[in-house]
C-alpha cells in the first residue's frame, strides 16, 4: 500500500494520515480517490484546520470502517446500534445513534461543516446538537422535521431566525454541502446555490457533540444516505470553503 501511494506522488502528510487511518479502521483497502481528495486538502494546508473527516461507505457491515477519521484522531461513537452501512454510505435504522466524539467548543469563532448525500432526504435531521434550549445547531436538508419550520440550517439563533430556508435552496437534497460559519457570518454552498450572508447569525459559544443522521436531543432521523462527513475549525475562510466544495464535487461520484 505504501509503495502504491508513493507512486501516486502524494504528500508525506497524506501518507501519514492514510496509514494511521488504515491501521485504526482495519480496512484492507482504501479507495484511491479518497486518497486523492485528502491529498488535495493537504496541499492546501486544510488538514491542519480539519477536526475530523469521515468516509462513511463500506462494502462490509463493519463499524470500524466508518468510525475513525481519515485526518486527525477524531472518531464517531454509538450507544445503542449502528446505522446501516453500505457502499453508498450510512442510513439510519431503528435504534441507531451515531455521534461525533469531538466536543465542539466554539468560542464564538465558528465552524465549517461539509458532507455528501448520495440519497436525498425528504424528512429528518442530518446533523446537530445544542448545549441549551432554543440554541440549536442543526442541518435538515429537506426542511421537513419537527421544529425545523422549513429551515435547512439553524445556528444558535432560536426558533425564529433560521440561517438558511428551504426556499433559498430548492434543489435536490443529494450532493455535497459546505457550510462555513465565521462569527456572525454564514457562507453556504450546495450544487448551484451559493449564499453569502453577513451579520445574520448569533455567535455560538456552545459546547456540544453533534449527532449524525439525526439530532442530539430531537430523535427525528433523516431518511437520506450520507457518504462523507467532515468538519473544520473557525479559521477556514470563504475562499477555502469554496475549495472544499470544489474538491468534494470533483470526487463525489468516485468515492
Amino acid at each position: 500500500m505504501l509503495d502504491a501511494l508513493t507512486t501516486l506522488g502524494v504528500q508525506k502528510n497524506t501518507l501519514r494520515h492514510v496509514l494511521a487511518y488504515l491501521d485504526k479502521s482495519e480496512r484492507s483497502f482504501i479507495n484511491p480517490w479518497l486518497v486523492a481528495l485528502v491529498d488535495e486538502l493537504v496541499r492546501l494546508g486544510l488538514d491542519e484546520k480539519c477536526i475530523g473527516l469521515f468516509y462513511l461507505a463500506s462494502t462490509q457491515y463493519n463499524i470500524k470502517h466508518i468510525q475513525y477519521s481519515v485526518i486527525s484522531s477524531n472518531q464517531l461513537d454509538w450507544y445503542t446500534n449502528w446505522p446501516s452501512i453500505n457502499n453508498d454510505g450510512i442510513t439510519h435504522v431503528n435504534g441507531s445513534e451515531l455521534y461525533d466524539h469531538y466536543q465542539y467548543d466554539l468560542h464564538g469563532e465558528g465552524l465549517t461543516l461539509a458532507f455528501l448525500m448520495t440519497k436525498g432526504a425528504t424528512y429528518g435531521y442530518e446533523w446537530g446538537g445544542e448545549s441549551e434550549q432554543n440554541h440549536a445547531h442543526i442541518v435538515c436538508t429537506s426542511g421537513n422535521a419537527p421544529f425545523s419550520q422549513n429551515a435547512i440550517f439553524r445556528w444558535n439563533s432560536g426558533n425564529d431566525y433560521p440561517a438558511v430556508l428551504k426556499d433559498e435552496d430548492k434543489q435536490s437534497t443529494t450532493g455535497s454541502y459546505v457550510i462555513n460559519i465565521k462569527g456572525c457570518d454564514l457562507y453556504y454552498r450546495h450544487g448551484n446555490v451559493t449564499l453569502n450572508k453577513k451579520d445574520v447569525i448569533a455567535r455560538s459559544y456552545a459546547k456540544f457533540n453533534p449527532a449524525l443522521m439525526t439530532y442530539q436531543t430531537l430523535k427525528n432521523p433523516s431518511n437520506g444516505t450520507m457518504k462523507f462527513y467532515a468538519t473544520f475549525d473557525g479559521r477556514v475562510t470563504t475562499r477555502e470553503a469554496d475549495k472544499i466544495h470544489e474538491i468534494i464535487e470533483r470526487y463525489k461520484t468516485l468515492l
Side-chain angles (χ1 to χ4, degrees):
M1 177 64 73
L2 179 60
D3 291 341
L5 293 176
T6 303
T7 302
L8 289 173
V10 301
Q11 300 291 295
K12 287 183 179 179
N13 276 350
T14 304
L15 288 174
R16 178 173 57 83
H17 294 312
V18 167
L19 293 176
Y21 167 69
L22 284 171
D23 183 56
K24 290 180 294 185
S25 68
E26 299 182 0
R27 286 183 185 261
S28 59
F29 172 81
I30 188 168
N31 186 324
W33 298 112
L34 176 62
V35 177
L37 182 152
V38 170
D39 196 54
E40 290 207 36
L41 295 175
V42 168
R43 289 173 188 273
L44 293 170
L46 286 167
D47 60 321
E48 298 176 5
K49 302 177 183 181
C50 183
I51 298 169
L53 184 151
F54 298 90
Y55 182 53
L56 303 175
S58 175
T59 56
Q60 301 175 39
Y61 190 60
N62 186 337
I63 189 67
K64 286 191 174 183
H65 283 191
I66 70 162
Q67 183 179 6
Y68 298 101
S69 175
V70 184
I71 297 175
S72 83
S73 60
N74 196 12
Q75 66 181 64
L76 302 176
D77 299 323
W78 76 95
Y79 297 105
T80 55
N81 195 13
W82 308 347
S84 170
I85 305 167
N86 60 41
N87 203 43
D88 292 324
I90 59 169
T91 306
H92 184 275
V93 294
N94 289 340
S96 65
E97 292 183 272
L98 203 58
Y99 293 90
D100 193 324
H101 182 78
Y102 185 87
Q103 185 180 63
Y104 292 83
D105 187 356
L106 300 171
H107 299 296
E109 296 176 0
L111 180 72
T112 294
L113 171 65
F115 59 97
L116 172 64
M117 301 296 294
T118 53
K119 175 190 172 188
T122 59
Y123 177 85
Y125 297 108
E126 279 80 32
W127 181 90
E130 61 189 80
S131 60
E132 57 182 302
Q133 187 176 7
N134 265 353
H135 288 266
H137 310 77
I138 68 167
V139 173
C140 177
T141 59
S142 65
N144 179 26
F147 308 106
S148 172
Q149 296 177 312
N150 199 40
I152 292 175
F153 186 62
R154 293 185 180 277
W155 184 258
N156 194 43
S157 51
N159 288 334
D160 298 328
Y161 303 100
V164 178
L165 283 168
K166 186 63 183 173
D167 290 345
E168 296 177 278
D169 182 4
K170 296 181 179 180
Q171 301 171 104
S172 164
T173 54
T174 58
S176 59
Y177 291 76
V178 174
I179 305 171
N180 173 254
I181 306 99
K182 203 167 186 66
C184 298
D185 299 337
L186 167 75
Y187 189 68
Y188 173 95
R189 293 291 308 271
H190 171 227
N192 296 321
V193 171
T194 300
L195 302 174
N196 193 358
K197 300 185 176 186
K198 301 294 185 181
D199 200 28
V200 296
I201 55 176
R203 289 179 181 268
S204 177
Y205 295 85
K207 295 181 181 181
F208 64 98
N209 294 85
L212 213 55
M213 297 305 284
T214 186
Y215 186 72
Q216 181 188 27
T217 54
L218 299 171
K219 305 303 181 186
N220 297 104
S222 170
N223 62 357
T225 300
M226 183 183 291
K227 194 169 192 176
F228 175 91
Y229 162 65
T231 56
F232 301 81
D233 65 31
R235 295 175 294 164
V236 171
T237 65
T238 55
R239 184 182 181 89
E240 289 173 326
D242 275 334
K243 286 292 186 182
I244 293 168
H245 186 257
E246 176 186 311
I247 290 167
I248 300 171
E249 278 289 300
R250 182 154 56 248
Y251 294 105
K252 67 181 182 182
T253 61
L254 303 169
L255 292 176

